[in-house]
Amino acid sequence: MENKIKLVIIERSKDATTLLQRRMKDSSVIELTASFIYHPSFLEEVASFKTDIILLNINLPCDITAFIKDLKKKTPAKIILSCEFIQPDLIFNCLIAGASGYVEKYATQTTLENGIKDCFENLSFLPLNIITLFYEQYVKHETNEIRKKIFSLLSGGFHLKEVVYETGLTEREIKQHIFLSVHR
């Protein structure tokens, strides 16, 4: 990749920050531009970095949805949630607040890179429980029939490859429809 994706990390502890820094250090896709340990008054400093993606711990000691909304006002960077385990309701609320996706914090370097790269390219794939929440809350009323079908199949337990077969779309197109549904 010619131009690396610029990344800022916001974590709640030095250990977590160090772990993610090590994982990103040798990346051919991502350039780590800064990392922060959360403090309520550092929003302006984070916004001053010209970054593409902010990797944000979902369990910061604050109202995370309000923090995401404030961050979105200060920077055009996409926000990816970093989670130790899947918390569907919290992830769902953060996505509604403006986050672009999420990755599991302790995933392999390749999985982290792919999640960040997909988000950067406006692609998204969410786990079944979050897909189901979106389907129940929003997509049932979606006017775009293809998006409605994608979410209906996924929330019904179909795997991505099965949705590809059923819709005739590529995996990339399906992920883009998911992203567009979540971020309309």
Side-chain angles (χ1 to χ4, degrees):
M1 181 175 241
E2 193 173 293
N3 292 326
K4 290 185 173 187
I5 299 167
K6 291 177 177 43
L7 177 74
V8 168
I9 295 171
I10 302 174
E11 265 299 337
R12 62 183 293 158
S13 73
K14 185 165 178 45
D15 291 342
T17 305
T18 303
L19 173 74
L20 289 167
Q21 286 172 332
R22 270 194 237 129
R23 288 218 177 112
M24 295 297 115
K25 182 176 77 171
D26 298 323
S27 176
S28 61
V29 177
I30 296 162
E31 175 188 337
L32 181 60
T33 56
S35 57
F36 296 91
I37 296 172
Y38 173 79
H39 188 276
S41 64
F42 77 123
L43 202 53
E44 293 297 328
E45 190 176 352
V46 171
S48 73
F49 282 87
K50 303 295 181 226
T51 189
D52 301 310
I53 302 282
I54 296 172
L55 186 60
L56 178 69
N57 184 318
I58 198 170
N59 294 311
L60 293 179
C62 65
D63 176 347
I64 193 69
T65 56
F67 184 74
I68 289 168
K69 288 176 184 176
D70 289 345
L71 201 50
K72 291 299 289 178
K73 290 177 192 171
K74 303 274 184 194
T75 177
K78 293 179 181 174
I79 299 169
I80 300 179
L81 307 166
S82 165
C83 319
E84 292 176 21
F85 53 90
I86 297 172
Q87 303 168 61
D89 292 331
L90 185 55
I91 293 170
F92 176 79
N93 290 330
C94 289
L95 291 169
I96 297 302
S100 297
Y102 92 100
V103 293
E104 291 183 42
K105 185 186 300 188
Y106 299 116
T108 65
Q109 178 178 345
T110 303
T111 302
L112 278 171
E113 284 178 349
N114 288 340
I116 291 167
K117 188 173 176 247
D118 279 357
C119 181
F120 180 72
E121 295 174 356
N122 293 334
L123 304 175
S124 188
F125 193 72
L126 302 168
L128 177 60
N129 45 10
I130 297 172
I131 289 284
T132 303
L133 280 172
F134 267 100
Y135 181 69
E136 290 169 358
Q137 298 290 322
Y138 293 100
V139 184
K140 259 198 240 186
H141 314 291
E142 174 76 64
T143 56
N144 183 310
E145 289 301 318
I146 209 68
R147 289 188 192 147
K148 200 175 201 174
K149 183 173 184 174
I150 289 167
F151 275 84
S152 176
L153 291 168
L154 289 169
S155 67
F158 279 63
H159 294 282
L160 184 58
K161 292 199 184 308
E162 294 170 312
V163 177
V164 166
Y165 178 78
E166 290 291 323
T167 61
L169 300 171
T170 65
E171 284 187 24
R172 181 179 177 81
E173 290 169 325
I174 290 168
K175 288 179 177 182
Q176 191 157 34
H177 276 291
I178 293 169
F179 182 89
L180 292 171
S181 289
V182 171
H183 302 288
R184 55 187 161 136

